[in-house]
Amino acid sequence: AAEKKIKIGVIYDYTGPLAGGGSDLQALGAKIMIDHINSQGGVEGYMIEPIYADAQSKPEVAINEAVRLIEQEKVDMLLGFYSSAQCVPVAAKVDSLKKFMWITTCISPAVLKGRNLKYVFRPQVHGAMFGELSVDFLNSNAQSKLGIAPKKLRVAIIHEDGPYGSGVAGGNAGAAKKLGMNIVLKEGYSATAPDLSSLVTKLKRKKPDVILHTGYNPDITLFLRQAKEQGLRWKALIGHGAGYGVVDKLFDAIGDDASHIFNVDPVSIWKLDPKSLAPGLSDITAKVGAEYMKAKPDTKTKSAHVGMAASNALVFFADVLPRAIKKYGGIDAESLRKAALETDIAPGGTLLGYGVKFPKAGESDMMGQNMRASPVVMQYVDRKVYIAWPKVLQTIDPVLPLPKGSAYSKK
Amino acid sequence: MNSKLLIAVVAAVLVALPFLGLDSYPLHLVIVILIWSFAYTGWSIMGRFGLVSLGHGAFMAVGGYVTALLWNELGLTPWIGIPIAMLCAGGLAVLIGYPCFKFRIVGHYFALVTLALSEVVRQIIIATRDTTGGSLGYTPERHGDGWSVIALQSDDRMVFYFVALAVWMAGIVIWRLVDRSMARYALEAISEDEDASAAVGVRVTREKLKVTVLSAVMTAFAGAMYCQYQMFISPDTIGGVGISLQIVFAVVVGGIYNSLGPTIGAVITLLLAEVLRIWIGTEAYCLTEKICLNVAGVPLLVYGIMLILFIIFLPKGIVGAVADRWQARNNGSVPAK
Amino acid sequence: MLRVEGLSKRFGGFTAVDNVDFALEKGEILGLIGPNGSGKSTIFNMLSGTLKPNEGSIRLDGKEIAGTPPHAICVMGVGRTFQIPRPIRRLSILENAALAGFYGQAGAVTRAQAWRSAEEALEMVGLPTDAEAAIDTLGAAGLKKLELAKALATKPSLLLADESLGGLDHSEMDQAADMLKNIREELGVTIIWVEHIMGVLMRVVDRVMVLDHGEKIAEGRPQEVAADPKVIEVYLGSDAEETAAAASRA
Amino acid sequence: MFAEFTEALFSIFFIETLINGLLLGGVLALLSLGLNLIFGVIDVVWICYAEIIMLGMYTIYFLHVDGGMPLILAAACGVGVTALLGWLTHRLVIGYLLQAAPINQLLATGGLLFFFQGAAMVAFGIEFRNLGVSLGSLALSEDIYLSWTRLLSFAIAAGVVVVLYQFLSRSYLGAAIRAISQDREIMILMGVNTKKLYLLTSAIGGGLAGLAAALLALQYDVHPFIGLSFGPITFMVCVMGGLGNMVGGFLAAFVFSELITIGGYFAELEWGYVLAFAFFIFAMFIRPEGLFARKS
Amino acid sequence: MLTLKNVNAGYGDFQALFDVSLDVRAGEAVAVIGPNGAGKSTLMRVISGMIPATVGHIEMEGVSVLDAPAHDIVGMGIAHVPENRRLFPRMTVEDNLRMGCFMPQFRAKYEARKDFVYELFPRMLERRNQMAGTLSGGEQQMCAIGRALMSDPKILLMDEPSAGLAPVIVQQVFDLIERIRAEGLTVLIVEQNVRQVLRIVDRAYVLESGSLRLEGTADELLQSAEIQKSFMGM
Ligand SMILES: Nc1ncnc2c1ncn2[C@@H]1O[C@H](COP(=O)(O)OP(=O)(O)OP(=O)(O)O)[C@@H](O)[C@H]1O
Ligand SMILES: Nc1ncnc2c1ncn2[C@@H]1O[C@H](COP(=O)(O)OP(=O)(O)OP(=O)(O)O)[C@@H](O)[C@H]1O
Ligand SMILES: [Mg+2]
Ligand SMILES: [Mg+2]
């Protein structure tokens, strides 16, 4: 009997600067999950037929590929996307073509905010949440750990100026302002800037206690290196995903001085306590990890990127797709949309730990955004990743301020 | 006669194209190619006279951004916005061109000054991110569903196809008009020897400026078109050094001295990129356990090699080479270099 | 028709042309001679607008033209040739001349008119007028002729001919000299002619002006100048006798 | 607003900015040296020059990190590899285009740029690779630290300029290198093998790229696209200094870097670049032959 | 000393020399004269290797010139003062001279040759640090000849050394050539200034349309009515 199948266009950046910034790893996560589902015999009699495509780190290529996959390859839906610069135009395009799009990664609020898209869903945390969480973390710990009242806390916000960095920084600034923190500097820069020494100098002049940083990979290592060499000091450095999620690179770049850096990200799926998750999920986590190591045997510390894409893809395959097929009778965009709107996963129900629920029409200005998603604050200590915040998930008591002995610690 | 017939046939095929059951995606490609072809044609109008500008990314960006900003911020219809954008690009061309020509900045120097221009414009777009969206890109606001004449927006590709086709043809016509004009002789002369040209009465600065402004304005128009069609622009998709180089490469591959050269260049380079990307896909091939090749890099690699081979072996581009062959067969002789 | 007063040109600290005065009557041929580097071409460059003088005035038919851009001066009726021929190799011979005819003539010119004046000019100097003939088919002499033809196609009233004979063989030199005479006689063009080949120059010109180190050191009829001891010392050397002979032959 | 500005101006950190500019200038100078040499001699803009540097960085990375070679030795090998690449670039591409239109030469090296990027991606993948070596910094005061890597870049750039200047003005080979840029055809009459001389120049230029690579590898992650961050600036430095003018290029690097850092200090970072590029355009208008070209 | 046998040469498809044979004996001065475009410069270029010969033999003291790589020819003792001088304009006089001494085997003699050239042309000593491009025409010609002499050649090829020069300077240049001859150098010279050149050479060849048409001693040619008519304007 002819097997039924669902054709999915999977788009990430396999080339260009973003590839190494994490997109490549996200793509791996999605692929591992798709292979896993197929090895389980597919979903409700449907095998998954992925068509992988490379957006080459360029928005116009992403648009082209999206259109091609939909119109030429006649895929039933799209999944993936790493860069928000691509998500913004592609989501608009796909929605106007009335096709279903499941975003695993792009986090910029701009993708969904105020756009009222009908067919685009994002189980992923959005950028402003990152920014808000880091400020919340500071608010709760400034007095106790740093001995500084939150209102007195000097905060600097720096970010790569793409949609991702700007989105997160917007969240940072909004939350910090609301809490009355002292924002001494807020500045964006291009991720390909060959020199950040002026930025470091400005930071030194403004003497922030805490630096909130959002960036991709090369700019983060450049910043850390120049900060170290120019003698920039802080009490805490909080990164926000992307480049900060690739732990190995941080330690490769600046050695042990990368210790005690914080990173706000969806939790690394391998760091979660299996007991906090729904039964069966931890087996999948383990399997994803095993496949990951098979694909990239050199890995020292498993990056959160792989798990993130795997988890977000799994939500679709395990929850949305079966409902669409069983309840709404198909895999067309309309059925998938209805199924997605009914998703209601409680916390602990995904590999990433958070639950999933999308807003009903009119409920939010961010239609398609998972309202139950939340990142965590992690802290890296000696190449190990610990969860520092929120309190319920803590696996470490956050080390704050930066202990003496680090090149970045205040004398 | 013969060539007129050929043109008629080509025109008929082009007009009939969407009715010949061309799928939506190929139609999309054709539209994109037409828009780029127009931009490339615009570049070659000056490029063929040795005015190698690496600054056309700037003009294209001005075309797209000014049009979109006017629409979003002031609600000014692109019908007015595009002419304003073209005016801006023309102004920018004068701003950079006049001193360049006055001070005799030619050759590599001109190329690099204009290269700096595209970087300046790109950086300014990025730096004014509060208005332009920075490297996030910029989207003209939709004016309802379906298609809107006032906003020059359309969901229907067919409409855009015919607009793009008309624009492209206009580009070819402009190219030919310049080619037949007296200005062409003047510019050929200028490109070889400015002093000698001035000595026979040619107004060097003015002639150069005229063609530069024409070229810039055409490129800006292409930028606006691109924006209206894709409904998205970003500093890297229609501005910056990358785009400037893309334009130059395509024209050289196609043939700089022929009206159809830029178009052929667009067809070849854009299709090549498309085909290579799709064909090669995203898999990694491992030679051994440890040594894996990332074949995603192959398109870039092939593109590079092709470009080099083209330049070494077909320095006049594809159209130029074909035309030479054609001429040689008709004359039974070898064409002069 | 041309009146030059106090003309000077300096390059950095070096004075290439130093306070030179001279005047020309309509239809005259003036020979401009002087040692290498004495400023002859520099004077031409200033007359034709390629260089701006530092001081001095140049009046053409009473109108001041010093500092006017070269294309404007060309249109006002000053044609020039370059010492080293500068043809446009990408254009055919005819197109080279037609370009000059189109842009260099005063008033609005149609294409047909431009091409006609180009053909006339080419015929005058004895170059082919068929549309296809390429520059590459010309030798050194042909290129010199083309320089003249380009200048003539602009219908000049004043022609500046810079070393039109350099590198030509004897028979060609004679031809060229005759041609200059013809141009004056048939078209009534006033000519300034720079040349190092005295045997030919002296036969053709009405008057000679001699420069040395940018300064005018002598001026007068050919015989007088050829006999001037100063000119003999700085310029003619042992050629003086032959020069004088040529001058008297005129 | 104004108070903020004056405060920034009279702050110790403004001095740090000036020093940073100086040190960045060292990096830019080093980057542009080889390109300038090639530019001046062969009169071809190697758009792919920054990509040769990138390949040099990879060489050093692999030899040092994977091969366990001492850094100095790895750097020396890097210089060797880039010299070879420079040689090959001329041998396989430019050599065929010496008579071609300048635009075609420029574009051919553009083709090489894509080729090098693609090749790097195929061979090394898209990962960012980091040498993980830091030379630390020199503390001038409580507040001001100078990066040793940058000091080293500065010193090496200055040293190389002096050596190159001596080489070009004193040696026979140097004279030939200057001469060939002025009249290629008659070099044969001097008994100069022009092909060899071009190849030699290309190799020296390439080798200088390797030197730059060694110092960049200490400061930046290596990835196939790193060249894009440096390419345009490098060309402009060369042009602003006067093509083929080593000393001019060296000085221009500092003008550029100071503009970038000072602009970045008073406003957002991009404005530094806008300032530098705009100044470049302006400088071309007032001194088209290069800011530091001697009047001939 | 220098012998050409049945040499053909040209540019691309264009053939400029047809079956040219000539020889120059040691110590001689030989002129090549002919109308424009006859191929005189082409002949010089073939000998010095600037363009390849398509057919024929060229021998210098019994050694085949054509078998040697072009850039080694100057090492065989053939120096060429090209048409239009072709100095390196943005290099000093001294650097130009140095380039004449480029080949490794000449370098040891650099100082001695330089002194020789400065002795020959005291004007050059005066101008040694001036950019060659700013020299006057006559000075440039001196510099070009000096540069060729730096390699201590056995034969000097000169292509229209008097072109574009003022009469006094032309005289100086011819004097100069005589002085060089007096130093024992063999000279092959191309000139338009036929009358003067025939006064200083021993023999001359007449080249027309790429072929040799006449050959004779200077005196014979000076007397020849045909030569007088076509090359001296008499
Ligand atoms: N653009 C320039 N910059 C500097 N010096 C110049 C320039 N043009 C000419 N000169 C100098 O001015 C002087 C006069 O040059 P000019 O060309 O007028 O001489 P000329 O009389 O035409 O000589 P010739 O007979 O050799 O052609 C020369 O010394 C020359 O080097
Ligand atoms: N580089 C070249 N490419 C093509 N043809 C050339 C080239 N140089 C010379 N010719 C042609 O070769 C022929 C001989 O030229 P050549 O320069 O040897 O003549 P010549 O006798 O030296 O003339 P002149 O007295 O003008 O210097 C001429 O017809 C000329 O057009
Ligand atoms: Mg002159
Ligand atoms: Mg000759």
Side-chain angles (χ1 to χ4, degrees), chain A residues 270-324:
Chain A
W270 295 284
K271 295 296 157 201
L272 277 177
D273 182 356
K275 289 195 284 291
S276 67
L277 299 181
L281 286 179
S282 55
D283 299 340
I284 301 180
T285 302
K287 179 157 184 210
V288 172
E291 291 293 324
Y292 178 11
M293 294 314 289
K294 226 191 269 169
K296 304 237 171 202
D298 291 343
T299 312
K300 297 193 200 86
T301 309
K302 290 200 214 65
S303 159
H305 285 300
V306 175
M308 200 186 302
S311 171
N312 287 334
L314 181 63
V315 172
F316 177 76
F317 294 123
D319 183 84
V320 178
L321 187 55
R323 183 173 324 109

Side-chain angles (χ1 to χ4, degrees), chain A residues 251-385:
Chain A
F251 281 89
D252 283 353
I254 52 166
D256 289 338
D257 289 325
S259 254
H260 302 104
I261 286 177
F262 293 95
N263 177 31
V264 181
D265 227 353
V267 68
S268 174
I269 58 174
W270 295 284
K271 295 296 157 201
L272 277 177
D273 182 356
K275 289 195 284 291
S276 67
L277 299 181
L281 286 179
S282 55
D283 299 340
I284 301 180
T285 302
K287 179 157 184 210
V288 172
E291 291 293 324
Y292 178 11
M293 294 314 289
K294 226 191 269 169
K296 304 237 171 202
D298 291 343
T299 312
K300 297 193 200 86
T301 309
K302 290 200 214 65
S303 159
H305 285 300
V306 175
M308 200 186 302
S311 171
N312 287 334
L314 181 63
V315 172
F316 177 76
F317 294 123
D319 183 84
V320 178
L321 187 55
R323 183 173 324 109
I325 296 169
K326 280 191 298 199
K327 186 162 173 192
Y328 297 103
I331 54 171
D332 56 300
E334 206 51 48
S335 311
L336 289 171
R337 172 179 125 82
K338 284 184 192 148
L341 285 173
E342 277 178 25
T343 296
D344 187 356
I345 300 175
T350 64
L351 300 183
L352 286 167
Y354 53 65
V356 184
K357 181 147 183 65
F358 298 107
K360 297 267 175 314
E363 248 178 37
S364 158
D365 67 343
M366 260 202 214
M367 292 303 294
Q369 174 61 41
N370 177 8
M371 299 185 301
R372 287 187 187 152
S374 68
V376 299
V377 178
M378 289 171 270
Q379 188 167 31
Y380 303 146
V381 184
D382 302 330
R383 282 189 186 263
K384 293 208 181 61
V385 181

